[in-house]
């Protein structure tokens, strides 16, 4: 498959991503499930609307590069890559176990389709600048997407890359910011991020869009606009998302960076998710 | 030792099946550990945070800074007690360190916290030039030292001591337990220069109390006497070698333990004097890469002092380590009680 041409709805894809993530969370009894549930919609649009890739050949030269700058979101990307057929569903039960191909923090050496090693935040956008330069040197028309978090807006390295992307006119670079207004110690907007965030990026010269990151139509429109934009500047889609989206009893819980889920709650969350299963 | 052979990493294109552990238990990835070796041991909650709060009662100059990790470095205890003396710097390690330098210039004693990897790797230049070169009294206190998380190299500070030891003026500490963290926090607040201290956080085991130990900055101290082996250890490895010593006792092997919480400046006098007593295998033990840590510091110091004794190192390999459950990793890389016991037996 190159760009997804199936008739499966994006809502159904997002449901499947959430489901895979919950199943993995249940394996470890822990995990960054709040982030995975919140980012499932933007990942569904990435993998089933925007990205060009071959599931059976994750290193295909023509692929759009999708960098996960935020290693702790690995559970979310694994869930999407399982739905995309890049990783086998059967390995869900190995998530985070010794010897698994799906360690809790995303690393390139472990997982097909995982382009970079994350974990130390603030690396992805700079690497994306280099990949975008490299693609241009090779006349490769692929895009490079960098999925990052609002917490990463605090790192100086992020803003160095922001300026660099403009300097090099990287119209093949698309940053996706999962703006869930959460970082390890509390709300991101109490630290170094702001709402609206787009103005800062625009000030540096980026084509910036700030949208509801759990609204499928808005996501599709934003990804389309980011790809189609005609000026020679990098693009950013700031996605305001809700942690734990799709599982109301978790959404209502006091949200923290590491959402605690009791052993019996995983099954309950799955049941609730299944009750609202969207049609194909 | 071929370090690559220690890795369990296979090709990422080889499918995996559910691992079956020997005893049927499920070994999940150890995340940001709250407690180390806590089972069956007395623990103390957040010793660093509570010591700092206590100090702040009489020391107006003490301020706290973190780069989005107060809850994960026990600094939240201080933040709660002294909200107006706490600076949440956001996830921006570089400016946290620069700002700590600025506060120190204005007469304050900043305690700045993050994980060991992010202080030693990302903020290195800022620590070096803004703090160490000026000998400013900033205390950098860092959780997740060495191999204390199963998250992989991004969070495993296997090189922090090597990095920090190379920095002039900087005092480098690797305390062992809750008692020592409490005492060391107070001692470094009184120390006029910059300090890098490794931190165990959450529920921290308390082991040195039973040996009547009291921390002294810059001093190595004998915790246990013995005729056959002299362990020279730091950090939680002292806890481990004390357990190893008990085990080896049963085999008739008598182990001494010299605890070295101050890695720099190294207490060469005590270490050389103990090693020079002779007749003992000297074994350094550290939760750090074999490159540039306590072991190499001790080895070189003994050579320079003209003390020529049989010498071995317990340390992590010079490699990027695997992800996984900590008990698995500690066995795999030779720093568990079982693994150290086996190594020492093989060396005797
Ligand atoms: C350079 C760096 N500093 C600190 C950390 C520790 N850390 C891990 S996740 C996190 C929060 C970052 O914010 P964000 O990614 O927005 O968190 P989330 O939305 O997942 O709560 C922090 C500080 C890190 N991984 N990397
Ligand atoms: Mg966030």
């Amino acid at each position: 498959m190159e760009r997804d041409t199936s008739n499966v709805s994006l809502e159904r894809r997002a449901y499947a991503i959430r489901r895979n993530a919950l199943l993995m969370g249940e394996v470890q009894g822990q995990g960054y499930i709040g982030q995975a549930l919140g980012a499932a919609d933007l990942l569904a649009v990435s993998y089933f609307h925007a990205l060009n890739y071959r599931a059976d050949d994750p290193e295909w030269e023509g692929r759009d590069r999708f960098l996960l700058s935020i290693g702790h979101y690995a559970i979310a990307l694994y869930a999407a890559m399982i739905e995309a057929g890049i990783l086998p569903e059967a390995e869900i039960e190995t998530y985070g176990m010794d010897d698994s191909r799906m360690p809790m923090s995303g690393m390139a050496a472990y997982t097909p389709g995982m382009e970079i090693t994350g974990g130390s935040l603030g690396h992805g956008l700079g690497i994306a600048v280099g990949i975008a330069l490299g693609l241009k040197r090779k006349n490769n028309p692929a895009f490079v997407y960098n999925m990052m978090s609002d917490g990463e807006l605090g790192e100086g390295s992020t803003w160095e890359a922001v300026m660099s992307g403009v300097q090099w006119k990287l119209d093949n670079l698309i940053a996706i910011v999962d703006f869930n207004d959460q970082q390890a110690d509390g709300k991101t907007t109490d630290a170094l991020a702001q709402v609206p965030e787009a103005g800062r990026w625009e000030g540096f010269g980026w084509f910036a869009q700030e949208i509801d990151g759990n609204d499928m139509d808005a996501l599709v429109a934003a990804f389309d606009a980011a790809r189609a934009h005609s000026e020679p500047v990098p693009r950013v889609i700031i996605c305001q998302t809700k942690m734990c989206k799709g599982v109301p009893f978790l959404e209502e819980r006091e949200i923290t960076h590491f959402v605690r889920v009791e052993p019996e709650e995983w099954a309950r969350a799955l049941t609730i998710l299944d009750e609202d299963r969207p049609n194909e | 030792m071929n370090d690559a052979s220690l890795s369990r990493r296979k090709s990422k294109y080889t499918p995996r099946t559910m691992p079956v552990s020997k005893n049927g238990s499920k070994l999940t990835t150890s995340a940001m550990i709250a407690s180390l070796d806590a089972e069956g041991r007395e623990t103390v909650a957040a010793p660093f945070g509570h010591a700092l709060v206590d100090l702040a009662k009489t020391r107006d100059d003490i301020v706290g800074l973190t780069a989005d990790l107060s809850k994960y470095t026990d600094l939240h205890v201080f933040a709660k007690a002294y909200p107006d003396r706490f600076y949440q710097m956001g996830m921006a390690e570089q400016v946290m360190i620069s700002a700590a330098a600025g506060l120190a210039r204005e007469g304050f004693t900043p305690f700045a916290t993050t994980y060991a990897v992010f202080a030693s790797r990302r903020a290195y230049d800022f620590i070096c030039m803004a703090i160490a070169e000026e000998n400013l009294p900033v205390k950098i206190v860092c959780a997740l030292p060495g191999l204390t998380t199963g998250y992989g190299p991004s969070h495993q500070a296997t090189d922090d001591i090597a990095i920090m030891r190379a920095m002039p003026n900087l005092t480098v500490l690797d305390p062992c337990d809750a008692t020592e963290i409490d005492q060391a926090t107070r001692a470094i607040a009184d120390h006029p220069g910059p300090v890098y201290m490794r931190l165990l956080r959450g529920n921290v085991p308390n082991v040195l109390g039973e040996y009547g130990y009291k921390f002294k900055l810059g001093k190595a101290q004998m915790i246990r006497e013995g005729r056959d082996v002299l362990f020279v250890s730091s950090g939680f490895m002292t806890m481990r070698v004390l357990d190893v010593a008990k085990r080896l006792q049963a085999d008739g092997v008598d182990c001494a333990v010299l605890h070295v919480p101050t890695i720099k400046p190294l207490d060469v006098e005590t270490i050389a004097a103990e090693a020079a007593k002779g007749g003992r295998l000297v074994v350094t033990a550290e939760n750090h890469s074999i490159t540039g840590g306590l072991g190499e510091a001790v080895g070189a110091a003994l050579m320079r002092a003209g003390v020529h004794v049989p010498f071995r190192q317990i340390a992590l390999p010079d490699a990027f380590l695997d992800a996984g459950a900590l008990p698995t990793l500690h066995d795999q890389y030779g720093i568990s009680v079982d693994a150290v016991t086996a190594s020492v037996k093989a060396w005797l």
Side-chain angles (χ1 to χ4, degrees):
Chain A
M1 179 183 71
E2 296 187 8
R3 194 161 283 124
D4 183 44
T5 49
S6 70
N7 287 323
V8 179
S9 72
L10 290 171
E11 286 76 10
R12 177 66 176 231
R13 297 292 193 185
Y15 152 81
I17 292 170
R18 290 191 166 92
R19 187 163 215 290
N20 289 340
L22 283 168
L23 289 169
M24 283 186 274
E26 189 170 22
V27 169
Q28 283 284 316
Q30 58 169 336
Y32 289 100
I33 194 65
Q35 286 82 339
L37 293 170
D41 299 311
L42 71 85
L43 282 165
V45 174
S46 297
Y47 276 81
F48 300 98
H49 176 73
L51 285 178
N52 218 353
Y53 60 93
R54 290 179 180 161
D56 58 358
D57 184 9
E59 291 174 30
W60 171 50
E61 175 64 10
R63 75 193 182 283
D64 289 331
R65 277 61 167 168
F66 188 92
L67 314 189
L68 185 71
S69 184
I70 33 184
H72 66 291
Y73 275 62
I75 185 173
L77 188 61
Y78 301 148
M81 292 202 295
I82 288 165
E83 176 64 8
I86 299 168
L87 294 171
E89 202 176 336
E91 287 185 43
I92 283 182
E93 63 170 19
T94 72
Y95 168 67
M97 309 298 281
D98 290 352
D99 283 331
S100 175
R101 290 200 286 181
M102 300 190 296
M104 289 190 72
S105 187
M107 286 179 273
Y110 284 73
T111 318
M114 185 68 75
E115 298 269 3
I116 63 169
T117 293
S120 178
L121 294 167
H123 281 254
L125 198 58
I127 298 171
V129 164
I131 290 176
L133 287 169
L135 290 170
K136 282 183 179 289
R137 284 194 84 78
K138 295 193 285 187
N139 292 318
N140 183 328
F143 278 100
V144 50
Y145 293 81
N146 180 58
M147 179 171 169
M148 54 190 292
S149 68
D150 49 355
E152 286 187 296
L153 300 173
E155 290 290 349
S157 57
T158 294
W159 298 101
E160 293 178 22
V162 164
M163 291 184 283
S164 192
V166 173
Q167 190 206 346
W168 296 105
K169 302 187 170 54
L170 298 179
D171 53 6
N172 55 348
L173 168 60
I174 300 177
I176 307 163
V177 181
D178 181 28
F179 200 116
N180 58 8
D181 200 9
Q182 187 66 38
Q183 56 187 90
D185 269 343
K187 286 164 81 74
T188 314
T189 45
D190 287 341
L192 299 170
Q194 35 180 267
V195 171
E197 172 63 33
R200 295 203 286 187
W201 295 73
E202 282 164 356
F204 281 109
W206 284 56
F207 171 57
Q209 305 175 76
E210 191 152 1
I211 59 162
D212 176 347
N214 295 121
D215 176 336
M216 210 57 94
D217 294 336
L219 281 164
V220 168
F223 274 77
D224 287 350
R227 284 188 291 154
H229 188 70
S230 59
E231 289 174 87
V233 295
R235 300 100 214 274
V236 61
I237 306 170
I238 297 151
C239 304
Q240 308 281 358
T241 61
K242 190 172 175 52
M243 276 181 102
C244 298
K245 179 74 184 175
V247 181
F249 80 90
L250 291 178
E251 283 177 33
E252 282 151 28
R253 186 158 292 178
E254 193 209 348
I255 291 293
T256 56
H257 171 65
F258 202 85
V259 177
R260 249 178 227 301
V261 180
E262 300 306 322
E264 66 283 358
E265 288 180 336
W266 295 101
R268 199 177 138 210
L270 281 164
T271 310
I272 290 171
L273 196 70
D274 287 344
E275 279 166 7
D276 280 333
R277 176 169 50 193
N279 293 329
E280 292 244 326
Chain B
M1 174 173 59
N2 175 1
D3 293 340
S5 68
L6 279 168
S7 180
R8 287 177 293 114
R9 277 188 216 182
K10 303 176 198 132
S11 157
K12 67 175 174 180
Y13 295 108
T14 310
R16 304 291 203 278
T17 50
M18 182 72 174
V20 190
S21 70
K22 274 171 248 147
N23 56 5
S25 72
K26 196 164 108 173
L27 280 178
T28 55
T29 295
S30 313
M32 309 311 164
I33 51 154
S35 22
L36 185 80
D37 258 359
E39 251 164 69
R41 287 196 208 266
E42 179 204 339
T43 61
V44 176
F48 164 65
H50 290 292
L52 200 61
V53 167
D54 202 33
L55 272 169
K57 286 179 193 153
T58 54
R59 292 271 306 261
D60 289 345
D61 57 310
I62 287 177
V63 293
L65 299 88
T66 191
D68 196 26
L69 287 172
S70 72
K71 286 192 231 165
Y72 300 81
T73 57
D74 291 342
L75 193 67
H76 64 300
V77 179
F78 175 84
K80 200 164 168 228
Y82 292 100
D84 60 329
R85 287 158 71 173
F86 169 71
Y87 298 92
Q88 173 55 264
M89 300 303 288
M91 193 172 67
E93 293 79 10
Q94 298 179 353
V95 72
M96 172 180 73
I97 291 297
S98 299
L103 280 157
R105 286 178 166 281
E106 294 299 327
F108 296 94
T109 304
F111 278 73
T113 75
T114 176
Y115 286 155
V117 278
F118 305 127
S120 58
R121 296 177 188 162
R122 183 145 320 175
Y124 178 83
D125 182 37
F126 298 82
I127 299 173
C128 190
M129 291 315 296
I131 294 172
E133 200 268 340
E134 308 244 4
N135 214 7
L136 293 171
V138 175
K139 319 301 165 183
I140 301 154
V141 179
C142 294
L144 297 187
L147 181 53
T148 48
T149 163
Y151 268 49
S154 66
H155 284 66
Q156 292 161 345
T158 53
D159 51 357
D160 62 329
I161 300 279
I163 290 168
M164 295 302 190
R165 258 186 77 217
M167 204 182 303
N169 287 347
L170 193 66
T171 292
V172 179
L173 298 187
D174 187 13
C176 167
D177 75 342
T179 302
E180 185 158 61
I181 287 168
D182 175 85
Q183 295 171 355
T185 302
R186 296 164 198 274
I188 63 177
D190 287 338
H191 176 70
V195 177
Y196 173 77
M197 181 166 92
R198 280 179 149 197
L199 180 70
L200 301 173
R201 62 154 293 267
N203 295 320
V204 181
N206 215 7
V207 292
L208 296 180
E210 82 178 77
Y211 299 90
Y213 173 86
K214 206 167 175 323
F215 173 80
K216 292 195 198 92
L217 191 63
K219 290 289 171 221
Q221 296 184 54
M222 290 302 287
I223 308 279
R224 180 193 157 109
E225 301 290 341
R227 290 181 310 273
D228 305 315
V229 173
L230 172 65
F231 283 115
V232 180
S233 58
S234 67
F236 75 71
M237 286 310 288
T238 294
M239 214 184 290
R240 292 268 159 97
V241 297
L242 284 167
D243 287 347
V244 172
K246 283 179 193 160
R247 285 228 200 142
L248 288 174
Q249 196 76 59
D251 297 329
V253 179
D254 199 17
C255 300
V257 176
L258 177 62
H259 176 48
V260 188
T262 310
I263 311 289
K264 189 181 177 181
L266 194 65
D267 183 357
V268 177
E269 205 182 321
T270 306
I271 296 168
E274 282 298 333
K277 285 180 182 169
R280 295 189 291 196
L281 172 68
V282 174
V283 180
T284 59
E286 63 193 307
N287 168 32
H288 185 273
S289 159
I290 195 156
T291 301
L294 174 74
E296 286 194 351
V298 168
L302 292 180
M303 293 293 279
R304 282 193 292 262
V307 179
H308 303 285
V309 287
F311 178 82
R312 300 281 184 171
Q313 278 178 266
I314 298 284
L316 298 167
D318 178 17
F320 290 110
L321 307 186
D322 290 346
L326 273 184
T328 310
L329 298 173
H330 283 188
D331 274 338
Q332 180 182 338
Y333 294 120
I335 64 167
S336 66
V337 173
D338 284 348
V340 176
T341 307
S343 294
V344 173
K345 275 188 179 169
W347 289 333
L348 282 171

